[in-house]
Amino acid sequence: MPERTDYPALIAGHTGVITLINSGASGLPVLTRLLRVVQPAVGAAGMAFVEFTPAGGRVIAATGSAEFVVGRPLPASDPATVCLLAGPVLRQVRLDAIPGTLADEVAGRGLHRMIVARAEIAGLTVGSLHALYPDGEPLDDSQCAVIGYVAACIAHMYGDHTGLPVHGDGPVVAALADGLAVVDRADHVRLWNPAAAQVTGRPGIEALNRPFPFPLPPCGQVLDHRLPDGRWLRITSGELPAGALRVITFRDITDQRHRDHDRDLFVAVTSHELRTPVTVIKGYADTLTDHWESLNDDDRRHAARIIGQRANELARLVDRLLTAATEHRRGDPAAPFDLADALRAAVTDLPADVRHRIVLDLPGDLPKALGDRHSLATVLTELGTNAGKYSLPDTPIEVSAGANERTVSFRVADRGIGIRPEHVERAFDRFWQGESGDRRRYPGAGLGLYLVRQIVEQQNGWVSLRPRAGGGTVAEVWLPRG
């Protein structure tokens, strides 16, 4: 660890981050790049950023020795979450002073101290930045100052909505109330309440005595307007009794729009995904019925095999849909199980085109995991078929496992097209399928990774994706040790 902060390296690296932003990058790639710049400059062994929503937190970016926690959830009731959201905005703490298993796991890797700074907007916490250190010399005041400054920079990124928040339902959005404005006959703003400033991100000083910044519906009507950051406002307009002024109310309806979009997308995706196997099954069944006598044995076996394959696809899709519809229902109670043995058994249930590509690398002394063994087949099927879909048919899909003092994990790695850094969290969203071009080339319901995260987190584990060096994607699942 350097005796003091390496300011030249910090400034040079930060300049690179600004250049990245100016080139159009945003969200997780910028955030991760920023952490990679700051870590060596302040002599940290690892960096991590936790994004907070009303439901709790999640580690969305990490570097160095902290990379293993990416994707780790921190429920709102978790003692560590409560600890992080309380106390001074910037402080030094020892990991053994924070309750919970996550702090114990980090300390188990030799990281016993950290500088933590909350990223806040108007008093609302959007996340917390952590610089992690082993035991050793006291930390320099300049290191704390830099971490506090970087946390403020990240909060500014959230305020600008530059690809953040990752999970879209953060406390800033949750705390918004209806905005209210009064405009004159020239549509200039004469009143702008605090909620209007929160909803729009425009303080009163920027709004008053200027034209209303959004389209105005006729009096008594409603207009839905999309903001540049992707959020939606529902704007209503009415006349005041004096007649010379109009009162405008507006509120954030982004969540409602997302729900409506999810419903429409569910119907569209389901009808499309069901139609394909049903059409093939019907076609081959009709062929067997109408032409049985004219077909030879090979033709009949081929038709039966295709019907079986498509029926299996149909069954997997229906299972995904049913699981998604009952996502909050917990499975069997957690129990210790042999992860290596469960993975070997799950491989036999994989589709044939994926199964023959699997390369297993499982240590003989792998400790037991704590969870639901039966659900592991679903998790491996989704991760394996996902790896198979996005990689060439003749390339291997590697399944390996490992353990530390607290967790047991397994990885599914391919050498396919890879995943963009900005997509490593979005890939777990329900119905999300990447860009439109990818969606055309790689069809699917967009439910697989969503279900994987639901299943794993119900077992107090977590799952993450990352690009693989040299090309491809690595999916990693962590479960408590049994």
Side-chain angles (χ1 to χ4, degrees):
M1 185 182 74
E3 294 182 358
R4 58 182 62 86
T5 301
D6 187 348
Y7 285 108
L10 178 65
I11 294 171
H14 202 177
T15 301
V17 173
I18 298 300
T19 301
L20 188 65
I21 293 173
N22 290 339
S23 69
S26 64
L28 275 178
V30 173
L31 178 57
T32 303
R33 173 76 171 270
L34 183 59
L35 298 192
R36 287 175 179 160
V37 165
V38 175
Q39 179 188 322
V42 298
M47 300 282 296
F49 184 78
V50 180
E51 181 178 271
F52 287 109
T53 75
R58 185 182 298 279
V59 182
I60 62 170
T63 61
S65 299
E67 281 189 348
F68 79 101
V69 300
V70 169
R72 179 69 176 263
L74 281 79
S77 59
D78 192 304
T81 305
V82 176
C83 183
L84 292 175
L85 293 176
V89 174
L90 174 66
R91 54 185 166 148
Q92 295 185 42
V93 297
R94 290 194 59 85
L95 270 298
D96 54 20
I98 297 180
T101 58
L102 179 57
D104 291 343
E105 291 171 26
V106 175
R109 296 191 173 223
L111 304 174
H112 300 286
R113 302 175 298 163
M114 72 175 176
I115 302 172
V116 56
R118 291 200 299 275
E120 297 184 341
I121 302 176
L124 297 169
T125 299
V126 295
S128 61
L129 178 65
H130 306 256
L132 299 159
Y133 299 85
D135 278 329
E137 296 297 322
L139 300 175
D140 187 87
D141 289 342
S142 65
Q143 293 162 314
C144 293
V146 168
I147 298 304
Y149 164 74
V150 174
C153 291
I154 295 173
H156 181 73
M157 291 168 60
Y158 274 80
D160 283 351
H161 301 283
T162 52
L164 298 169
V166 169
H167 293 283
D169 59 349
V172 175
V173 175
L176 299 181
D178 285 3
L180 183 143
V182 173
V183 300
D184 59 21
R185 290 186 182 276
D187 291 342
H188 281 67
V189 176
R190 298 305 180 194
L191 183 147
W192 192 257
N193 76 338
Q198 285 186 302
V199 171
T200 64
R202 293 171 179 259
I205 193 171
E206 294 181 7
L208 290 171
N209 302 315
R210 298 183 183 182
F212 188 76
F214 314 118
L216 282 173
C219 286
Q221 296 187 23
V222 178
L223 172 69
D224 288 351
H225 173 67
R226 187 176 186 180
L227 300 177
D229 60 23
R231 292 183 298 128
W232 285 87
L233 297 183
R234 176 155 293 168
I235 305 171
T236 61
S237 172
E239 283 190 357
L240 290 174
L245 300 173
R246 280 198 291 168
V247 59
I248 313 297
T249 60
F250 43 95
R251 57 190 177 90
D252 192 308
I253 60 165
T254 306
D255 287 345
Q256 178 183 333
R257 296 279 300 208
H258 286 167
R259 286 192 295 270
D260 292 344
H261 175 264
D262 281 353
R263 180 196 62 213
D264 295 341
L265 188 58
F266 175 83
V267 173
V269 167
T270 303
S271 61
H272 171 76
E273 293 299 317
L274 289 173
R275 185 182 299 115
T276 301
V278 167
T279 300
V280 174
I281 291 171
K282 184 179 184 302
Y284 276 94
D286 289 343
T287 298
L288 290 174
T289 301
D290 298 337
H291 305 285
W292 180 269
E293 297 299 335
S294 63
L295 296 174
N296 58 38
D297 288 344
D298 288 341
D299 291 335
R300 292 168 186 163
R301 278 193 291 269
H302 174 73
R305 184 168 59 252
I306 296 299
I307 290 174
Q309 290 174 351
R310 293 296 183 166
N312 287 336
E313 292 176 11
L314 195 58
R316 286 197 297 271
L317 176 60
V318 171
D319 184 61
R320 287 191 186 103
L321 296 174
L322 291 176
T323 305
T326 57
E327 62 187 76
H328 298 297
R329 184 181 65 193
R330 297 193 66 89
D332 296 333
F337 68 93
D338 188 327
L339 179 62
D341 183 63
L343 287 171
R344 293 188 190 95
V347 167
T348 64
D349 293 331
L350 291 173
D353 59 332
V354 175
R355 184 173 63 246
H356 81 272
R357 298 169 56 187
I358 295 293
V359 177
L360 285 173
D361 180 16
L362 306 177
D365 58 349
L366 191 67
K368 289 187 176 182
L370 183 64
D372 177 13
R373 175 184 174 127
H374 299 295
S375 70
L376 194 69
T378 300
V379 172
L380 186 61
T381 296
E382 298 301 340
L383 295 180
T385 54
N386 201 60
K389 182 193 302 185
Y390 293 104
S391 59
L392 294 175
D394 57 347
T395 56
I397 299 171
E398 301 160 25
V399 178
S400 57
N404 58 35
E405 293 180 355
R406 296 279 179 176
T407 61
V408 184
S409 64
F410 70 92
R411 290 160 293 285
V412 179
D414 62 66
R415 286 295 184 185
I417 64 173
I419 185 168
R420 298 179 184 177
E422 62 267 31
H423 290 170
V424 294
E425 277 296 317
R426 291 199 63 195
F428 292 102
D429 291 347
R430 182 161 46 180
F431 302 127
W432 190 85
Q433 297 172 314
E435 296 180 353
S436 58
D438 290 339
R439 193 157 57 239
R440 287 192 295 270
R441 293 172 54 198
Y442 306 101
L447 286 171
L449 291 177
Y450 167 79
L451 295 178
V452 166
R453 174 162 276 181
Q454 298 296 316
I455 291 170
V456 172
E457 291 190 355
Q458 282 181 356
Q459 300 175 59
N460 297 315
W462 75 97
V463 58
S464 65
L465 292 178
R466 69 175 184 272
R468 186 179 187 182
T473 303
V474 177
E476 189 157 15
V477 175
W478 303 76
L479 294 171
R481 284 183 62 151

